[in-house]
Amino acid sequence: MQPIKLLSKLTTKTLNLTGTFGGSGQDVIDWRTAAHALAGLPQCQTNWAYFRYVGEETRLNRVIRSLTMHITLFIKIKRYKVKSETLNGIVMAAVYEFVQPVCGECDGSGLAPGQIATNLDALICIKCHGRGRKPVSTRSRCKIIGIGHKSYTDSHDDITKELLRLIAGWESDIFKNIRVKMGEVA
Ligand SMILES: [Zn+2]
């Protein structure tokens, strides 16, 4: 089973829907199997998995805390100056961006459809700028951050991209863990 499909089954919503519409019984995964699939992951990844896929919104605080901890080091190395309220907003906005649906233009690949691989720049999807998700406008991003849309700087954007990379890394750890625990069950 695809890790993403398995994770989607962890959500109560999906389980309820499956019952309501009489989805195929073989597809339903029990909660113990799900917990087993996530067992052994480090704390940050576990919190993210339960927040994103199990709908445990109370984990958000812990997710924010781990992201802030990791990104603080990055900010130090890059010598960026960011107020802590602003940083908190940037972290929230990055989480918001990460959970957006995949980009309809490139189906989440971040690459422009039908492009010939001659020039790397030409391959980036124009709609999502290579992020692979439905674009979040600077205006709505800044609303979450709590700054004016003209105050969003290149260093803010660099921090955002690093946060998205961090979360993407967690997701890849989660999928790897599930594949191992489930023994690549088809
Ligand atoms: Zn795209």
Side-chain angles (χ1 to χ4, degrees):
M1 177 166 307
Q2 288 279 331
I4 197 90
K5 205 172 163 197
L6 186 137
L7 282 170
S8 75
K9 290 192 182 307
L10 287 169
T11 72
T12 2
K13 245 181 227 160
T14 313
L15 288 175
N16 287 344
L17 281 176
T18 308
T20 312
F21 298 109
S24 91
Q26 299 167 312
D27 246 18
V28 179
I29 284 182
D30 88 43
W31 283 87
R32 257 175 244 147
T33 311
H36 172 76
L38 296 175
L41 278 168
Q43 205 54 54
C44 298
Q45 285 84 336
T46 303
N47 284 328
W48 178 258
Y50 277 87
F51 165 70
R52 172 108 198 256
Y53 299 106
V54 187
E56 283 193 16
E57 298 203 355
T58 51
R59 300 251 183 179
L60 182 60
N61 283 336
R62 279 181 264 178
V63 165
I64 298 292
R65 228 181 298 142
S66 333
L67 285 172
T68 306
M69 215 177 65
H70 284 95
I71 205 67
T72 300
L73 182 68
F74 175 82
I75 292 169
K76 246 182 216 159
I77 293 166
K78 294 271 189 162
R79 296 167 191 270
Y80 291 145
K81 295 241 178 313
V82 189
K83 278 192 228 157
S84 72
E85 312 94 89
T86 308
L87 180 60
N88 195 50
I90 292 172
V91 171
M92 289 295 276
V95 170
Y96 173 78
E97 178 167 355
F98 201 93
V99 300
Q100 291 301 301
V102 293
C103 169
E105 190 73 20
C106 62
D107 289 323
S109 70
L111 303 173
Q115 288 263 354
I116 300 159
T118 47
N119 173 347
L120 266 181
D121 287 336
L123 281 166
I124 300 297
C125 171
I126 320 163
K127 209 168 167 198
C128 66
H129 306 287
R131 291 179 190 229
R133 294 202 160 63
K134 241 179 94 186
V136 173
S137 69
T138 305
R139 214 168 268 271
S140 41
R141 191 191 307 280
C142 289
K143 217 171 158 191
I144 298 171
I145 302 174
I147 56 174
H149 73 275
K150 282 179 187 145
S151 310
Y152 188 72
T153 64
D154 285 349
S155 46
H156 291 160
D157 202 53
D158 201 23
I159 294 167
T160 298
K161 283 180 186 149
E162 182 63 19
L163 285 164
L164 295 173
R165 268 194 293 271
L166 261 167
I167 304 173
W170 288 352
E171 296 229 316
S172 113
D173 292 343
I174 292 165
F175 295 157
K176 245 181 262 162
N177 198 77
I178 292 174
R179 268 187 225 112
V180 171
K181 297 277 177 173
M182 303 300 286
E184 293 272 13
V185 183

